[in-house]
Amino acid sequence: MMPDLDGFEVCRQLKQNLQTHDIPIIFLTARVEQEDIIKGFELGAVDYVTKPFNHKELISRVRTHIELKAAREALALKIEELQQANITKEKLLSIISHDLVNLFNSLMNFSLLLTESEELSVEQQNKYLLMISQSSNQGYHLLKNLLDWLRNQTGKIQVIPVSVNLKWLIERNIEFLSSQAKNKNITLCSTVESATTVFADQNMLDTVIRNLLANAIKFTPNFGKVEITSQQQASMMELSVLDTGIGIKPEDIQRIFQGRYYTTMGTGNEKGTGIGLNLCKEFVEKNGGNIGVESEIGKGSRFYVHLPLPT
Ligand code: ADP
């Protein structure tokens, strides 16, 4: 009954505004016509009290609606958690049933070829041994990612930052990925100096470096180059993984860190799971840093990570 702006209009405007949309609205009014009451509910009101009113009753109704709202929100949160748990379970099942089973198949087949076939040339033996070495490395990388991802999803991961020597960690990963790079004739190198240190959780940083290097190799064609460099910037250390690979389209850059398991095949038809970069982003951010990428189609990509320095 107010002039200019009546209660119905106030309700409509509050419901349209994202910031006030969820506030439960109770109409307190002298209008007792059924049509008005229905109109109020249709506009999104949760209750309707007519004048003259009883203070205690009104306060009880307000309390009830606040409790109802809190219960509804808690329920929505639970539903979201359950949906996330379901997605995690499905993803886990798909990785175990496809990726891990395939890797074991290839390990078994090449081992069988080596042990059962007579008169294998040294060249063939070396080829099968390289396949076994590659499959076991891929399996290890996949299992490590899977465990990190599961621990992270279930909130069972602790960040223990220490002073980490980057050169040492990078060289360990270069050695681990050398057979993958060799198989594609990719030059894999680091220009990080021996005294370069950051303040981060060593296991998490290991996962980040391994994933960025493995991706760079995976998305670079034969005879390309993958290089890892570092540069100190104010209070942070910038670590870059540069490749001469296929690059990423601008619209896909938005998607790769988003946690929706976006994945494409590598240049040698290598399969992926889409969990690597999500893990990298989570781990870098948990250590007070940030991650990003610059890329040009057909030329290559530079994934960069900024991490705090030891104090
Ligand atoms: P996966 O490598 O298992 O697919 P990631 O989360 O590590 O999962 O990467 C997601 C996707 O991002 C890749 O499938 C690929 O499409 C893209 N990507 C990641 N690194 C590179 C890179 N260095 N060059 C081109 N594309 C990349």
Side-chain angles (χ1 to χ4, degrees):
M1 288 176 178
M2 291 179 292
D4 301 328
L5 191 67
D6 67 11
F8 294 127
E9 182 55 23
V10 173
C11 181
R12 203 182 58 76
Q13 288 187 15
L14 288 172
K15 288 292 160 194
Q16 270 182 354
N17 184 334
L18 270 185
Q19 277 181 317
T20 54
H21 177 269
D22 291 332
I23 298 175
I25 295 173
I26 301 174
F27 272 86
L28 177 64
T29 174
R31 299 173 89 132
V32 289
E33 296 298 318
Q34 252 202 345
E35 279 160 42
D36 290 329
I37 299 179
I38 290 171
K39 189 173 174 193
F41 281 122
E42 279 175 355
L43 283 169
V46 290
D47 212 347
Y48 206 96
V49 179
T50 51
K51 289 179 188 169
F53 65 93
N54 176 303
H55 275 96
K56 279 196 177 148
E57 182 197 335
L58 182 65
I59 287 173
S60 292
R61 281 180 192 253
V62 168
R63 225 174 250 139
T64 304
H65 284 293
I66 290 174
E67 278 168 16
L68 262 177
K69 181 176 186 284
R72 220 179 294 126
E73 281 170 359
L75 193 65
L77 212 69
K78 262 276 158 291
I79 292 175
E80 207 183 298
E81 269 173 34
L82 286 174
Q83 279 169 342
Q84 193 50 47
N86 221 11
I87 295 174
T88 304
K89 201 183 74 191
E90 297 284 324
K91 183 78 192 156
L92 179 66
L93 213 65
S94 118
I95 293 177
I96 294 177
S97 55
H98 300 120
D99 308 77
L100 278 177
V101 167
N102 282 347
L103 274 172
F104 270 99
N105 270 336
S106 110
L107 276 176
M108 290 187 302
N109 288 340
F110 286 117
S111 316
L112 200 70
L113 276 173
L114 268 177
T115 48
E116 303 274 295
S117 318
E118 284 157 19
E119 293 170 15
L120 280 180
S121 68
V122 175
E123 209 173 53
Q124 275 171 320
Q125 286 180 19
N126 285 342
K127 190 177 146 200
Y128 296 153
L129 278 172
L130 187 68
M131 295 296 197
I132 290 175
S133 150
Q134 266 177 34
S135 297
S136 31
N137 279 10
Q138 277 167 15
Y140 176 82
H141 176 53
L142 186 60
L143 267 180
K144 279 278 284 170
N145 267 1
L146 200 59
L147 286 175
D148 277 348
W149 174 74
L150 273 175
R151 280 196 204 111
N152 193 46
Q153 294 273 314
T154 48
K156 286 196 180 122
I157 203 150
Q158 262 195 329
V159 191
I160 307 170
V162 290
S163 186
V164 187
N165 183 291
L166 266 185
K167 187 179 163 77
W168 168 77
L169 204 57
I170 289 167
E171 275 174 4
R172 223 175 64 164
N173 277 290
I174 287 185
E175 201 181 308
F176 172 70
L177 291 163
S178 60
S179 62
Q180 250 81 347
K182 193 173 150 204
N183 192 36
K184 291 172 94 174
N185 284 302
I186 287 172
T187 310
L188 179 58
C189 59
S190 157
T191 61
V192 175
E193 286 174 8
S194 16
T196 318
T197 46
V198 290
F199 190 65
D201 183 291
Q202 189 171 308
N203 284 327
M204 290 186 174
L205 190 54
D206 188 43
T207 298
V208 173
I209 294 171
R210 193 183 65 250
N211 273 284
L212 293 183
L213 285 176
N215 276 347
I217 297 169
K218 189 154 113 183
F219 295 101
T220 296
N222 290 358
F223 301 102
K225 184 177 176 187
V226 172
E227 190 180 11
I228 183 159
T229 64
S230 69
Q231 192 183 19
Q232 190 169 330
Q233 293 183 339
S235 61
M236 300 292 250
M237 180 65 73
E238 182 183 74
L239 193 67
S240 297
V241 176
L242 303 113
D243 66 53
T244 56
I246 54 174
I248 310 167
K249 288 192 218 127
E251 62 266 33
D252 291 341
I253 288 185
Q254 311 274 338
R255 301 156 75 186
I256 58 175
F257 293 113
Q258 263 176 4
R260 292 181 195 230
Y261 315 124
Y262 173 75
T263 181
T264 56
M265 291 266 214
T267 52
N269 286 334
E270 301 98 324
K271 270 192 69 194
T273 58
I275 60 178
L277 285 180
N278 297 311
L279 258 186
C280 290
K281 183 170 155 61
E282 289 263 338
F283 283 4
V284 168
E285 287 174 0
K286 278 196 160 100
N287 280 279
N290 59 66
I291 184 169
V293 62
E294 289 164 353
S295 188
E296 205 178 322
I297 286 290
K299 287 223 159 149
S301 309
R302 177 177 85 95
F303 278 84
Y304 56 85
V305 168
H306 294 131
L307 284 166
L309 297 168
T311 42

